[in-house]
Amino acid sequence: MKKIALVICGFALLAGCTTGSKVTFNRGAATVQTASRSEPIFYNGKTYQLDYNYIEGKAAFDMKVSGLGPKQQQDAMKISTSALSYFACPDGQRGKLMGMPIYVGKKWTAYAQCG
């Protein structure tokens, strides 16, 4: 009787171990979200406006941040890269500026890519 019980337990354990996993892995290529956006961005206790468009020919985003002063280049850089990482870049990628932002017409303008 003990041998039959052991054999049944053994088969039950084997059956439990051999069933396939019910976890599905999606390993498709991550894509950059190239849709244009206009978002209010809350940074350092204030709200700024971010607008960006994807430029196909440059494979980069034209980022514009308004609400900052002409001496806030570092803030413009941080807002642009952080927002791009959040809104457009695939998981694990960060927004990277292509050169320094330029202050023109009360807006900081920069070009950025995911990478």
Side-chain angles (χ1 to χ4, degrees):
M1 189 67 152
K2 285 185 180 181
K3 287 183 182 181
I4 293 175
L6 286 174
V7 170
I8 290 173
C9 286
F11 281 123
L13 286 173
L14 260 174
C17 292
T18 58
T19 57
S21 174
K22 296 189 192 270
V23 177
T24 303
F25 292 97
N26 294 326
R27 296 183 193 225
T31 58
V32 175
Q33 301 297 317
T34 58
S36 297
R37 285 189 89 96
S38 180
E39 296 287 338
I41 303 294
F42 189 73
Y43 176 76
N44 280 350
K46 295 183 181 176
T47 302
Y48 305 99
Q49 184 64 36
L50 170 75
D51 300 297
Y52 69 78
N53 296 303
Y54 185 73
I55 301 172
E56 195 75 35
K58 288 188 174 188
F61 291 89
D62 178 14
M63 314 282 297
K64 296 194 184 315
V65 182
S66 56
L68 294 168
K71 294 182 180 181
Q72 292 182 285
Q73 184 180 42
Q74 291 293 332
D75 292 333
M77 291 170 56
K78 290 177 183 177
I79 290 171
S80 297
T81 56
S82 177
L84 188 63
S85 298
Y86 181 77
F87 291 118
C89 297
D91 288 342
Q93 291 188 15
R94 303 283 303 155
K96 294 182 181 181
L97 291 180
M98 301 166 59
M100 299 301 283
I102 299 169
Y103 189 74
V104 177
K106 297 186 179 182
K107 291 182 182 181
W108 281 99
T109 300
Y111 293 97
Q113 295 177 318
C114 295

